[in-house]
Amino acid sequence: MRLSLSALIICVLGTGAIAQSLPTIQSTGPVGGLREMGSADEAAEWNAVGRLDTGASFCSATLIGPDLVLTAAHCVYHPITSIPFDPEDLTFSAGLRNGRAEAVRNVRRVVVLPDYRPQTGEEFDMIGLDLALLELQRPISRSTIVPIATGRTGRGDDPVTVVSYGAEREAYASIEEDCQILARRGPVRSLSCEVASGSSGSPVLRIRDNRTEVVAVMSAMAQVEGEDVSIAVVLDGQLAELLDLYDRETPFGPVGTGASFLNRANDGRETIGARFIRP
């Protein structure tokens, strides 16, 4: 099935932060459905994927270097006020499973693309900029966790895999295999993945010839031609721009170029999930 992103249908779920949950675990179903990692050994293969906590919300994120984590840009802003979180208040728990993480690190700085604006982060065009690079305060040893490499999507139609945390599944990661790429528009891809609420920032993975690469990051949900789809932003070119900003900027530059974000006040805790978007 091929879908056109030009047929995007508005699916807004009210205002403010969206309270979300993941679909029921399909551990007894066929490969391809969203399911909990069935064993500690299976989960260990994905220890580079972790939960990013802000104190008010959480997302998924991926270790792509000893001290570099990739997630969605909207995850580093307060879901209601759009004020950026202070980097030191962000915590990455790699390989989190039932209260135990393989490594826990705070964040030193955050880099987002200069044109990204969280206030319009749900607009379709802004989805294509929804990437953030986080520098950890201390590297994670490769003997503890091997980072996942990054790659370009290319033009192939190979299925992809998504590993994510989410509301009511925040204590452990779930996986969905055999997700299909349904449509392309610039850096945005629509996918058949069932992972929905609570999965923002999760890696979209290509597995080929025993090599795993992050090729996109989950950003939003939408309906296209009556079908529920997941929306992801690819790394092609954009990750290179983030890395260039990371290399060129001082540790405490302005928001969007390597950041010491403003502090914030908030109450309660919400999940930041794969949000519904507006065309």
Side-chain angles (χ1 to χ4, degrees), residues 110-134:
V110 176
V111 182
V112 298
L113 294 168
D115 291 335
Y116 180 77
R117 299 293 181 270
Q119 295 86 351
T120 56
E122 295 179 1
E123 304 293 345
F124 184 83
D125 290 342
M126 201 56 63
I127 295 296
L129 303 175
D130 196 13
L131 293 172
L133 192 65
L134 315 181

Side-chain angles (χ1 to χ4, degrees), residues 26-36 42 159-161 175-180 192 194 207:
Q26 301 176 21
S27 57
T28 59
V31 170
L34 180 69
R35 60 186 176 85
E36 177 190 357
E42 181 182 22
V160 293
T161 294
I175 189 170
E176 183 169 4
E177 298 138 315
D178 280 342
C179 295
Q180 303 301 311
S192 65
E194 295 179 26
I207 303 172

Side-chain angles (χ1 to χ4, degrees), residues 110-210:
V110 176
V111 182
V112 298
L113 294 168
D115 291 335
Y116 180 77
R117 299 293 181 270
Q119 295 86 351
T120 56
E122 295 179 1
E123 304 293 345
F124 184 83
D125 290 342
M126 201 56 63
I127 295 296
L129 303 175
D130 196 13
L131 293 172
L133 192 65
L134 315 181
E135 180 186 13
L136 302 178
Q137 289 189 349
R138 292 186 295 114
I140 297 175
S141 170
R142 290 180 179 271
S143 64
T144 302
I145 298 175
V146 178
I148 300 179
T150 59
R152 302 178 68 89
T153 54
R155 299 297 302 177
D157 291 325
D158 293 343
V160 293
T161 294
V162 176
V163 177
S164 64
Y165 292 80
E168 299 181 8
R169 303 291 183 269
E170 64 268 17
Y172 50 81
S174 296
I175 189 170
E176 183 169 4
E177 298 138 315
D178 280 342
C179 295
Q180 303 301 311
I181 299 174
L182 303 176
R184 298 173 171 84
R185 179 172 155 183
V188 177
R189 301 289 184 270
S190 65
L191 308 174
S192 65
C193 305
E194 295 179 26
V195 286
S197 304
S199 64
S200 279
S202 58
V204 178
L205 303 153
R206 179 177 59 209
I207 303 172
R208 182 189 298 164
D209 300 328
N210 294 319

